Amino acid sequence: MAHEAENTSHAVLIWKVFAFLTLVTGVEVAFGIIKPEPLHLTTFLGTSPLNWIFLILTLVKAYGITWYFMHMKDEKKWFRRSIVWTT
């Protein structure tokens, strides 16, 4: 019984992470298609704010993938930081 509950909770977690990654990717695609002029045609710290948004959202996705699918949340604190922060 406990094993079945554990599998169910893992399946729910995988679907939640999948939904989150899908949402973030959807936002990226929408910004890529729409390219709002205030974000695309201005410059901030050497590039457009739209590029900064893409960069930040990509790092968020990479962090989420590392955290859940590479099981970093179950590792020791120093090991998690050495892997995730160096990214």
Side-chain angles (χ1 to χ4, degrees):
M1 240 8 207
H3 184 66
E4 186 176 312
E6 184 178 316
N7 285 340
T8 303
S9 68
H10 280 25
V12 169
L13 177 65
I14 288 171
W15 281 108
K16 285 180 181 179
V17 172
F18 175 74
F20 174 74
L21 293 173
T22 301
L23 177 71
V24 173
T25 302
V27 169
E28 286 179 330
V29 169
F31 272 129
I33 291 171
I34 296 169
K35 290 186 184 174
E37 286 187 25
L39 296 176
H40 180 59
L41 299 177
T42 58
T43 301
F44 177 72
L45 295 174
T47 189
S48 72
L50 186 60
N51 284 346
W52 282 111
I53 291 171
F54 287 144
L55 178 65
I56 291 166
L57 290 177
T58 301
L59 289 173
V60 166
K61 287 193 316 185
Y63 183 84
I65 289 167
T66 303
W67 194 255
Y68 288 105
F69 294 121
M70 294 177 67
H71 308 284
M72 285 291 135
K73 67 179 185 165
D74 299 326
E75 296 295 338
K76 292 184 179 184
K77 190 180 216 179
W78 67 269
F79 185 66
R80 284 193 317 244
R81 288 182 178 169
S82 68
I83 299 295
V84 174
W85 286 5
T86 56
T87 305

